[in-house]
Amino acid sequence: MDRITPERLDSLLDAFRDVRVLVVGDVMLDVYLRGGASRISPEAPVPVVRVHEEWVALGGAANVAANVVALGARCTVVGCVGDDAEGEKLRRAFEATGISATGLVVARERPTTVKTRVLVRYQQVARYDRESESDADAETEAALVDAVQRHAAEVDAVAAEDYNKGVLTAPVIAATLGRSRAHGHPVVVDPKARFFFDYAGATVFKPNLSELAAALRAPVHPDDPQWMQTTRTRLGCDNLLLTLGEDGMALATADGQLLRVPAVARSVYDVSGAGDTVTAVVTVALAAGASSAEAAVLANHAAGIEVGKAGVATVSPDELRAVVHEHHGTRVPGT
């Protein structure tokens, strides 16, 4: 079979409903303020935004979890929030979305990470962040490790979503990978710079082009099979999935293949959260029995859907089904 046919997709989507995922990483609360701007402030050369609408959404690792649930799977999150009103809002958002918050740890020494975006109609004009980028303290770190160990046995796959906000420290990473391997679960990693080389043993390691170039301090060659396999070996992962924005993805597999997956977005409205969607789809698809190539193709389609939406968004099984039917089955590269 050289395509993800509609029949194969239906089989995978049916299996999604039985999948349980553990997401470990930096959860965030996204706050949106939208209004109009008809004048410039007399105090500084900036627009005066009269806010008409305010809403919150799940961000960071929490957005990965939201995407997992939107695909029909179940999800538990291990992360930390502050002892503050924003942390309580995040918990309520988890409950409303159907995400288990039993792995959340309250870190009294740090605030809940909040990203507030100011929009004039649909154009973002400012963003301000409330966060701590320091590592979790010893007490919080121990609680995170304990939460990973408690929940890893209850799931079918694990996603580690690192935003450099202090949750995925070396001990938490080691616990996440160790417990997942012990239970035979696939682990999908979306890394950031600080612990980039600490994820050896990951099933799928998913940096973007700029992240990989910065970590290696060298140019990246996604079309060079030997370079991609050498890099995959250096990172110690089974599969290296390199996301390339408008150029799609490159997948170096454990059996030595290099697969190029072209981008499929018909229109790009907002790229926010596309990486989270890719992480979620790859994780759920692998747990449902998809090959790494099939998971990459489905994630690529999902990213194409997500960037056509405003703000951070999720993708549903029906949307994936519609895209595959539109393409009359999607070819899996290398088959």
Side-chain angles (χ1 to χ4, degrees):
M1 180 183 69
D2 67 350
R3 292 179 180 271
I4 298 181
T5 63
E7 293 76 19
R8 172 61 173 162
L9 178 62
D10 286 342
S11 175
L12 288 172
L13 294 180
D14 286 344
F16 282 8
R17 294 196 291 267
D18 295 323
V19 166
R20 302 162 298 170
V21 171
L22 179 65
V23 175
V24 184
D26 300 299
V27 299
M28 306 178 190
L29 185 70
D30 286 345
V31 178
Y32 293 86
L33 305 175
R34 176 183 287 160
S38 58
R39 64 189 180 96
I40 300 298
S41 171
E43 303 163 357
V46 294
V48 175
V49 180
R50 186 183 295 274
V51 175
H52 300 141
E53 187 179 5
E54 177 177 353
W55 72 96
V56 299
L58 297 172
N63 185 42
V64 175
N67 272 272
V68 167
V69 171
L71 291 167
R74 288 169 285 169
C75 190
T76 299
V77 174
V78 170
C80 70
V81 296
D83 185 15
D84 49 30
E86 290 76 16
E88 185 56 36
K89 286 182 182 178
L90 198 51
R91 285 181 179 277
R92 290 200 299 269
F94 273 27
E95 182 179 350
T97 310
I99 300 166
S100 171
T102 55
L104 283 184
V105 174
V106 176
R108 302 184 187 282
E109 84 288 357
R110 60 197 299 130
T112 300
T113 299
V114 180
K115 310 284 187 181
T116 301
R117 297 167 174 86
V118 181
L119 311 175
V120 175
R121 297 185 177 86
Y122 295 98
Q123 178 67 44
Q124 185 177 154
V125 297
R127 191 183 94 177
Y128 56 94
D129 298 350
R130 180 174 180 262
E131 63 188 10
S132 171
E133 294 185 335
S134 62
D135 286 351
D137 65 16
E139 181 182 354
T140 300
E141 185 178 71
L144 290 166
V145 168
D146 178 68
V148 169
Q149 293 174 337
R150 283 188 290 109
H151 290 290
E154 304 168 354
V155 299
D156 305 298
V158 178
E161 185 68 30
D162 192 354
Y163 274 89
N164 277 349
K165 306 303 178 191
V167 166
L168 281 162
T169 61
V172 177
I173 292 169
T176 300
L177 290 169
R179 296 296 287 179
S180 300
R181 285 196 298 264
H183 293 290
H185 302 326
V187 185
V188 178
V189 175
D190 191 354
K192 285 294 182 289
R194 187 173 177 198
F195 293 103
F196 201 88
F197 294 99
D198 286 33
Y199 291 99
T203 309
V204 176
F205 190 76
K206 188 196 75 68
N208 63 36
L209 184 66
S210 61
E211 289 166 344
L212 185 57
L216 298 177
R217 299 183 180 180
V220 174
H221 303 284
D223 294 311
D224 183 337
Q226 183 175 351
W227 187 93
M228 287 288 289
Q229 288 299 335
T230 299
T231 302
R232 183 188 67 78
T233 301
R234 179 179 175 185
L235 293 167
C237 57
D238 294 340
N239 300 275
L240 172 60
L241 180 60
L242 179 59
T243 58
L244 304 168
E246 63 185 14
D247 292 322
M249 302 176 180
L251 174 66
T253 66
D255 60 2
Q257 294 188 72
L258 174 61
L259 312 177
R260 283 303 309 268
V261 186
V264 295
R266 288 166 293 185
S267 62
V268 178
Y269 189 86
D270 189 338
V271 299
S272 301
D276 299 336
T277 297
V278 170
T279 301
V281 174
V282 170
T283 306
V284 174
L286 290 176
S291 67
S292 59
E294 289 175 325
V297 167
L298 290 179
N300 193 51
H301 276 301
I305 297 167
E306 199 277 345
V307 299
K309 301 181 180 183
V312 171
T314 60
V315 174
S316 71
D318 285 343
E319 288 173 312
L320 271 175
R321 185 178 286 108
V323 167
V324 171
H325 277 268
E326 179 183 332
H327 288 78
H328 304 290
T330 298
R331 187 175 184 277
V332 178
T335 60

